Amino acid sequence: MPRKARRRAWGSITEAARGKKYVLRWMENTPQGRRRRSRTVYGTYREACNELAKIQATRCDQRAAPTVGQLYEARYLPWLERKYDGSESGTPKNYQRAWKNYCAPRWGGVPIDQVKPLDVQEWLDGLAYGNAYNSMIVMRRTLDFAVNLEQIPSNPFRREYEMPRKTPRRSKDVYTLEQAEAMLARIEGMPYEAAYILAAFGGCRTGESLGVRVEDVREIQAGGVRFAAASIDKQVGNLNGEIAWRTKNGQSVREAIVPEPYCDALFRVRDQRAADGFEWLCMMGAKPMGKIAARRMWRRLGMIPFANLRNSWRTFAQFEWGVGYATLELLMGHKLPGVTGNHYLRPSTEQLAEDFAAAYAEKRGHLG
């Protein structure tokens, strides 16, 4: 009758057939985590002991290494919070999203000493370029902590890998002022009409233009020109109803201004939404319209990507309306360079509108 497993300091030996067959068992780190291993040995008990001793000599120093997910939670996340403490940048959100969607499903449960370069390359091959780029930033920094703490000798994500091919670049086409005005007439009554006005005649980003509420729009006058001023302090996400109560970065919090006569169309949409009891200017059913829905509807009519409306405004505002470079930069939510831009220059919306109106009124008067 086979004997029971004998207690040992490392591993175990179980007799399967008296005096001629033994089963060895021990714990080992694997790419799937800490796992029990076994091996069958035919021979005497002494030969079984010798075989287990050989295995022990190469694996007895192995401890249960933390997983990549544990390292991410313990080291990377606190570091990310410290680095972006108080910042309104969307960068940390992008990295956390990359971890959740692409890194954690593949690497979350893998011990840090079991990440193999071949597995990394196969993982990258299945990702789009943008997702792979952000994911590698997260994984490289996460495993750097393990190297610094001497938990692993080198970072397997710091090797040279073949990245996925970049997708074709987005069109760089822009509208002229005449084309933008013609499109404004075509989209009247569309759910994204207000977003179009704010992007094409106010220089807003797509998410910003869709994330404006009825109460965010007011009328101001400067230099004999009427403007609609829209508060930009939030943006919508991809899905309907998804609101991020932050802007791309801190300097993007501002008021966008839309000059006459285009502001009249924005006031019309605002007043209609208010009369209907809606909170947001751009609605999809009972929710604020998301970027995916707006782009899908826009593609049926638009000749350029919706995001290029901001580029269009920036181009004709400077070259057709003659508005100054610095004024346009601030209206776009950009920070001017140098000490003055970083620390001193803080114009109000009315001051920017005055500077805008000086060039705009002159150009309109010249054109009759």
Side-chain angles (χ1 to χ4, degrees), residues 113-133:
D113 60 350
Q114 294 297 314
V115 178
K116 306 301 181 184
L118 178 60
D119 296 333
V120 175
Q121 185 61 68
E122 291 178 349
W123 169 64
L124 289 172
D125 292 340
L127 299 179
Y129 176 82
N131 298 331
Y133 181 83

Side-chain angles (χ1 to χ4, degrees), residues 16-323:
R18 191 174 183 85
K20 60 180 181 181
K21 181 181 179 182
Y22 298 87
V23 179
L24 314 182
R25 294 185 176 89
W26 66 95
M27 295 298 294
E28 182 177 318
N29 292 340
T30 73
Q32 292 74 40
R34 191 78 169 167
R35 294 288 185 270
R36 181 180 295 277
R37 293 303 197 197
S38 64
R39 182 181 300 175
T40 300
V41 175
Y42 293 89
T44 64
Y45 178 72
R46 181 182 296 275
E47 291 172 332
C49 290
N50 291 338
E51 187 64 26
L52 184 62
K54 293 177 183 178
I55 298 172
Q56 181 181 4
T58 58
R59 296 179 174 83
C60 67
D61 291 335
Q62 286 188 350
R63 293 182 294 176
T67 64
V68 176
Q70 291 170 336
L71 187 65
Y72 172 86
E73 295 287 343
R75 300 293 177 184
Y76 182 84
L77 271 185
W79 170 82
L80 193 67
E81 292 171 358
R82 291 193 301 270
K83 182 175 181 180
Y84 292 95
D85 183 30
S87 172
E88 298 179 353
S89 169
T91 302
K93 296 292 184 182
N94 292 337
Y95 291 157
Q96 292 174 16
R97 188 180 301 113
W99 168 262
K100 178 182 177 181
N101 294 337
Y102 309 109
C103 304
R106 176 61 184 87
W107 303 109
V110 177
I112 58 175
D113 60 350
Q114 294 297 314
V115 178
K116 306 301 181 184
L118 178 60
D119 296 333
V120 175
Q121 185 61 68
E122 291 178 349
W123 169 64
L124 289 172
D125 292 340
L127 299 179
Y129 176 82
N131 298 331
Y133 181 83
N134 285 337
S135 298
M136 284 297 282
I137 292 176
V138 175
M139 297 304 295
R140 285 169 178 161
R141 190 67 186 91
T142 299
L143 271 293
D144 279 346
F145 289 109
V147 175
N148 293 338
L149 297 173
E150 297 186 352
Q151 293 175 294
I152 54 177
S154 62
N155 188 340
F157 289 93
R158 290 289 179 188
R159 294 171 177 263
E160 292 292 332
Y161 292 104
E162 183 179 351
M163 297 293 285
R165 294 183 62 183
K166 293 183 179 181
T167 55
R169 288 192 174 185
R170 190 185 70 197
S171 167
K172 294 184 179 295
D173 293 340
V174 295
Y175 281 155
T176 63
L177 178 59
E178 183 179 0
Q179 290 172 321
E181 291 175 340
M183 185 57 71
L184 177 60
R186 291 185 62 188
I187 64 158
E188 182 176 346
M190 298 293 287
Y192 58 82
E193 181 183 2
Y196 176 86
I197 298 169
L198 287 165
F201 301 104
C204 293
R205 299 179 178 92
T206 303
E208 295 171 348
S209 66
L210 292 163
V212 176
R213 296 175 297 185
V214 171
E215 64 182 30
D216 292 333
V217 180
R218 65 188 181 101
E219 181 177 341
I220 62 174
Q221 292 196 21
V225 178
R226 293 170 50 249
F227 293 91
S231 177
I232 305 299
D233 56 4
K234 53 192 167 299
Q235 55 185 334
V236 302
N238 286 320
L239 304 180
N240 296 335
E242 182 183 351
I243 303 295
W245 296 92
R246 56 174 174 76
T247 53
K248 181 179 180 180
N249 43 52
Q251 62 263 22
S252 292
V253 177
R254 65 195 189 282
E255 277 191 308
I257 59 174
V258 178
E260 59 178 327
Y262 318 108
C263 64
D264 294 329
L266 187 62
F267 290 139
R268 171 177 51 78
V269 175
R270 180 198 63 179
D271 296 341
Q272 184 62 53
R273 293 290 186 270
D276 294 338
F278 291 131
E279 178 183 3
W280 301 86
L281 293 181
C282 299
M283 304 286 292
M284 180 58 75
K287 296 181 179 180
M289 176 178 280
K291 289 190 287 188
I292 291 178
R295 288 167 178 161
R296 184 181 298 120
M297 297 179 69
W298 168 254
R299 279 197 294 266
R300 301 172 187 171
L301 294 176
M303 296 181 293
I304 64 174
F306 196 92
N308 287 17
L309 296 175
R310 176 174 160 93
N311 306 64
S312 303
W313 170 86
R314 183 62 175 80
T315 303
F316 59 66
Q318 180 171 339
F319 292 100
E320 297 191 48
W321 291 344
V323 182

